[in-house]
RNA sequence: GCGGGCGUAGCUCAAUGGUAGAGCGUCAGCCUUCCAAGCUGAAUGUUGACGGUUCGAGUCCGUUCGCCCGCUCCA
């Protein structure tokens, strides 16, 4: 999440997250997991509408990214973009996570301060004390934080009642302190001594033990990202699939992180689904591909309805880059202004230049050659053909959160409207709307239900694989339109007396509430056009 | 993990320590030719859970689970 970039007041989210969550429950988009047993922190289930919405978003991604190769556009090399899919396991050999850096990096020791209630990463804290002084107080400060260091020096001087020179001071990491030494340590923001707890490991990866015999030595992990399943299959794909660099491997699937504080509805869940692409290219081309992916991914989200000021692209500052991206062309986030982040933004998708970090790590740890032989490169031989070149491809990773995408689409779609009966409607883009259309007989008599069922059958046959086709003959027509507004159904087709005479039906538009008449036989073509088919 | 707020029907919320309710929604019937219309009726609760105080607990106390907000964290 980021600070606001001075958003204009008229565009700031004013929707209530409580109201949105109530609608999600009421209409069956999202339920708390294990609700009947009191729930479980950080886990959420999707109801009928939510499951279809999520599938529609996943399908849109799969279709546009994998099947159409970036919607059929050419890459920066002027050629079609080639992407192939894989589907790797949630549980892999634990060495995968040692190589990727997750075993080390995902186990951050933390210390809490009992006085100030602050929490620090233990490996980010340094300590100072007077040289040779085994009894006197030790002062902790935050590494690379000048203000924090100055405060510690000031407190030390005050304690010693004189100004110490740099040479008189010992510096060491907090993690090197003994339990006894910790008791005489003053926290970075504390006044009292000994308020820091012992460092406690935060295991951000879920672990499990495969096999029927419980033996800690067999410990394995639930993947914290789908990306590594792609990297470890890089060789397999290259060897079997007739792909050549540049190309991408895509995968959707669940990932698990033991978030310290699951928060903000489904935004930070412990079980979540990712949509990831690892795009492999020559190191010299990485910059161009990074820019290509960054721009296209932003455009893709916009085309699904996240247009306007609520969606931004943010390039990371160099000091916030992940360990694998330090040397790269950069990292950019597609961020959405959720009601709970406003006026700031929350990440939907990160596009990172991971360099050759992951392939190099797996090459080292597995002792398997990950280099790629590129026959189109290298110096020209006597026969006029390139001699070829061995190299570790660089990787551009567009990594999107599916659940976060769904949440953003829900928040964006949620549109309060005091002038309409439902008081609110869900303005989903027809392409991702979980209900594609509804068919109503205006009244339940005079052959209208039969005629309506005829249309329903036609639409189910043609569009049923994309989303629900609703049929409703209960209660007044106004209630039925209102119900569809809350569910986000973009078009309602109503059969009335005229339909039986001249074969036309009423089309009711969700967003404008306007009605028009079209021949019933043209409804499939009308809907196909609106769904972008 | 800390602090604050909250938890009663599907949703939004009432109920002085004394019989658990309303509105909306849902369902059924009647009616109804275009926007939650009208009439009639129905279903829905271990008041988040466990324990305690009390003649009696939705209400008071303790514990616990979950959600929201702030801090912290987010390789």
């Amino acid at each position: 999440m980021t600070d606001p970039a001075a958003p204009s007041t008229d565009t700031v989210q004013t929707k209530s997250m409580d109201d949105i969550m109530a609608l999600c429950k009421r209409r069956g988009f999202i339920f708390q997991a294990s609700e009947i047993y009191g729930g479980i922190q950080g886990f959420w289930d999707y109801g009928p509408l939510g499951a279809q919405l999520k599938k529609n978003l996943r399908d849109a991604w799969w279709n546009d990214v994998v099947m159409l190769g970036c919607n059929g556009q050419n890459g920066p090399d002027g050629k079609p973009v080639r992407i192939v899919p894989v589907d790797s396991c949630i549980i892999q050999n634990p060495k995968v996570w040692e190589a990727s850096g997750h075993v080390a990096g995902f186990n951050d020791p933390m210390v809490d301060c009992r006085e100030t209630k602050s929490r620090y990463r233990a490996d980010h804290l340094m300590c100072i004390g007077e040289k040779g002084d085994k009894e006197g107080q030790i002062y902790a400060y935050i590494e690379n934080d000048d203000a924090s260091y100055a405060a510690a020096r000031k407190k030390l001087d005050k304690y010693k009642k004189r100004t110490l020179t740099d040479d008189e001071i010992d510096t060491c990491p907090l993690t090197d302190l003994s339990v006894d030494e910790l008791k005489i340590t003053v926290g970075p923001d504390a006044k009292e001594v000994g308020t820091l707890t012992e460092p406690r490991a935060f295991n951000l990866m879920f672990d499990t033990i495969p096999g029927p015999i419980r033996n800690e030595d067999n410990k394995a992990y639930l993947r914290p990202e789908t990306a590594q399943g792609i990297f470890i299959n890089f060789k397999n794909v290259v060897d079997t699939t007739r792909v050549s660099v540049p190309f991408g491997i895509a995968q959707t699937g669940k990932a698990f992180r033991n978030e310290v504080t699951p928060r903000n509805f489904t935004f930070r869940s412990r079980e979540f689904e990712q949509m990831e692409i690892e795009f492999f290219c020559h190191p010299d081309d990485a910059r161009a591909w990074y820019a290509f992916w960054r721009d296209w991914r932003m455009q893709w989200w916009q085309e699904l309805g996240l247009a306007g000021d609520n969606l931004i692209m943010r390039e990371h500052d160099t000091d916030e880059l992940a360990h694998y991206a330090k040397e790269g062309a950069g990292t950019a986030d597609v961020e959405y202004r959720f009601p709970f982040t406003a006026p700031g933004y929350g990440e939907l998708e990160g596009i990172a230049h991971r360099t050759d970090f992951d392939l190099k790590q797996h090459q080292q740890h597995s002792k398997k050659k990950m280099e790629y032989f590129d026959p189109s490169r290298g110096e020209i031989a006597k026969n006029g053909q390139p001699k070829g070149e061995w190299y570790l491809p660089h990787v551009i990773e567009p990594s999107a959160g599916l659940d976060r995408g769904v949440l953003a689409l829900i928040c964006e779609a949620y549109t309060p409207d005091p002038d309409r009966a439902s008081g609110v409607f869900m303005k989903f883009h027809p392409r991702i709307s979980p209900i594609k259309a509804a068919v109503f007989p205006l009244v339940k008599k005079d052959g209208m239900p039969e005629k309506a069922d005829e249309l329903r059958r036609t639409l189910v046959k043609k569009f049923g694989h994309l989303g629900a086709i609703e049929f409703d003959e209960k209660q007044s027509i106004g209630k039925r339109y209102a119900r569809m507004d809350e569910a986000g159904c973009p078009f309602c087709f109503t059969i009335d007396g005229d339909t039986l005479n001249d074969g036309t039906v009423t089309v009711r538009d969700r967003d404008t509430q306007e009605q028009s008449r079209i021949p019933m036989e043209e409804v499939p073509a009308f809907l196909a056009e609106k769904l972008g088919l």
Side-chain angles (χ1 to χ4, degrees):
Chain A
M1 280 171 231
T2 56
D3 292 320
S8 55
T9 48
D10 58 333
T11 58
V12 170
Q13 283 273 15
T14 52
K15 300 170 186 176
S16 154
M17 204 58 212
D18 286 344
D19 292 345
I20 291 173
M21 290 172 69
L23 182 135
C24 282
K25 173 76 189 293
R26 190 167 71 241
R27 286 295 166 186
F29 282 97
I30 298 173
F31 305 128
Q32 192 176 16
S34 314
E35 192 188 60
I36 62 170
Y37 292 105
I40 176 168
Q41 203 182 11
F43 297 87
W44 301 89
D45 290 340
Y46 288 84
L49 289 185
Q52 186 65 48
L53 175 64
K54 185 173 175 181
K55 179 179 187 297
N56 288 351
L57 180 56
R58 190 196 297 110
D59 286 353
W61 183 90
W62 187 273
N63 184 68
D64 295 353
V65 169
V66 182
M67 306 311 288
L68 300 184
C70 298
N71 267 341
Q73 65 180 312
N74 287 340
D77 58 356
K79 294 174 183 166
V81 182
R82 181 89 195 272
I83 313 275
V84 295
V86 296
D87 188 340
S88 70
C89 279
I90 286 170
I91 294 174
Q92 302 279 354
N93 188 309
K95 287 175 183 170
V96 169
W97 308 108
E98 290 169 19
S100 69
H102 287 85
V103 170
F106 246 34
N107 285 286
D108 301 326
M110 311 290 293
V111 294
D112 289 310
C113 177
R114 298 185 190 92
E115 178 192 332
T116 65
K117 310 302 180 194
S118 303
R119 168 174 293 166
Y120 311 93
R121 269 182 63 171
D123 56 338
H124 284 182
L125 292 184
M126 299 292 288
C127 299
I128 55 172
E130 188 178 3
K131 252 179 201 164
D133 185 358
K134 301 285 184 203
E135 307 292 314
Q137 291 187 3
I138 298 170
Y139 296 86
Y141 66 96
I142 299 163
E143 192 176 18
N144 298 327
D145 182 330
D146 294 340
S148 179
Y149 180 69
R153 282 289 293 258
K154 202 169 169 183
K155 281 189 276 188
L156 177 61
D157 289 348
K158 192 176 173 190
Y159 176 70
K160 295 289 181 185
K161 293 180 177 141
R162 67 188 180 88
T163 302
L164 279 70
T165 65
D166 289 353
D167 291 341
E168 293 176 283
I169 288 172
D170 256 346
T171 306
C172 77
L174 181 107
T175 47
D176 287 358
L177 295 185
S178 68
V179 176
D180 287 338
E181 285 171 324
L182 208 53
K183 286 176 183 165
I184 54 169
T185 300
V186 178
D189 304 300
K191 293 188 174 66
E192 296 167 35
V193 68
T195 60
L196 292 180
T197 63
E198 287 178 51
R200 285 174 290 200
F202 273 55
N203 296 305
L204 298 186
M205 274 198 295
F206 283 90
D207 55 42
T208 185
I209 298 177
I213 310 293
R214 273 202 78 81
N215 177 351
E216 285 291 321
D217 296 342
N218 295 337
K219 191 162 78 170
Y221 301 99
L222 307 191
R223 64 182 176 200
E225 63 175 24
T226 62
Q228 297 304 325
I230 293 177
F231 292 125
I232 59 179
N233 280 298
F234 172 70
K235 281 287 290 175
N236 282 337
V237 172
V238 166
D239 292 345
T240 59
T241 315
R242 301 194 66 233
V243 286
S244 54
V245 173
F247 76 99
I249 303 178
Q251 166 164 238
T252 69
K254 288 287 184 76
F256 303 82
R257 295 182 193 180
N258 239 331
E259 297 289 354
V260 178
T261 313
R263 275 290 168 87
N264 292 328
F265 204 21
T266 60
F267 183 80
R268 180 168 294 135
S269 300
R270 288 180 167 150
E271 174 175 341
F272 58 100
E273 188 162 348
Q274 293 184 300
M275 307 185 290
E276 293 199 300
I277 305 156
E278 306 301 331
F279 192 83
F280 301 92
C281 63
H282 189 275
D284 293 347
D285 299 338
R287 252 165 222 289
W289 279 107
Y290 168 72
F292 169 83
W293 278 106
R294 181 195 58 202
D295 295 347
W296 183 62
R297 293 306 303 153
M298 178 72 177
Q299 187 190 333
W300 186 82
W301 286 108
Q302 287 170 330
E303 283 167 2
L304 287 181
L306 300 184
D309 293 343
N310 286 334
L311 195 73
I312 60 163
M313 168 66 70
R314 190 178 69 85
E315 293 267 358
H316 282 206
D317 295 331
T318 47
D319 61 356
E320 60 176 320
L321 291 179
H323 58 91
Y324 51 75
K326 291 274 191 239
E327 309 298 324
T331 296
D333 285 346
V334 177
E335 298 187 330
Y336 180 75
R337 182 160 56 208
F338 292 95
F340 49 79
T341 60
Y345 298 79
E347 179 185 347
L348 284 188
E349 171 162 356
I351 297 96
H353 176 200
R354 292 183 77 123
T355 69
D356 58 0
F357 178 88
D358 301 277
L359 289 180
K360 195 193 283 176
Q361 288 294 112
H362 287 302
Q363 179 164 272
Q364 281 171 7
H365 283 76
S366 68
K367 309 281 197 296
K368 301 284 193 300
K369 186 173 183 175
M370 293 291 167
E371 287 187 349
Y372 171 79
F373 182 74
D374 191 336
S376 71
R377 289 176 184 270
E379 56 186 88
I380 305 299
K382 279 179 189 167
N383 63 2
Q385 299 288 319
K387 284 183 172 174
E389 178 186 334
W390 284 98
Y391 58 88
L392 270 182
H394 272 215
V395 171
I396 310 300
E397 177 194 73
S399 169
L402 176 53
D403 303 85
R404 287 182 175 187
V406 169
L407 186 58
L409 291 172
I410 286 173
C411 291
E412 184 74 13
Y414 186 91
T415 311
D417 182 356
D419 291 335
R420 69 173 74 192
S422 55
V424 62
F425 67 107
M426 296 299 281
K427 202 172 176 176
F428 291 122
H429 190 294
R431 187 178 178 200
I432 51 116
S433 175
I435 301 174
K436 298 306 182 192
V439 180
F440 304 148
L442 184 57
V443 291
K444 197 167 49 174
K445 62 180 185 184
D446 298 342
M448 291 181 210
E450 292 77 8
K451 198 74 181 165
D453 188 58
E454 195 183 305
L455 178 58
R456 182 194 67 83
R457 285 170 186 276
T458 304
L459 294 182
V460 166
K461 197 174 282 180
K462 189 138 195 229
F463 304 102
H465 63 295
L466 300 173
I469 306 296
E470 290 285 307
F471 181 87
D472 196 347
E473 57 180 15
K474 301 290 177 62
Q475 300 169 315
S476 72
I477 191 73
K479 281 195 178 189
R480 286 179 266 164
Y481 286 150
R483 262 197 288 264
M484 287 300 107
D485 277 350
E486 268 208 338
C489 170
F491 302 102
C492 297
F493 301 99
T494 300
I495 275 68
D496 60 13
D498 289 346
T499 310
L500 306 173
N501 298 324
D502 65 10
T504 62
V505 300
T506 302
V507 184
R508 188 267 192 179
D509 183 284
R510 174 197 63 199
D511 300 341
T512 63
Q513 296 178 276
E514 282 172 1
Q515 299 186 355
S516 56
R517 292 197 75 89
I518 62 170
M520 188 167 114
E521 60 194 27
E522 287 178 18
V523 169
F526 173 90
L527 194 55
E529 194 257 320
K530 295 292 186 184
L531 294 178
L533 300 175

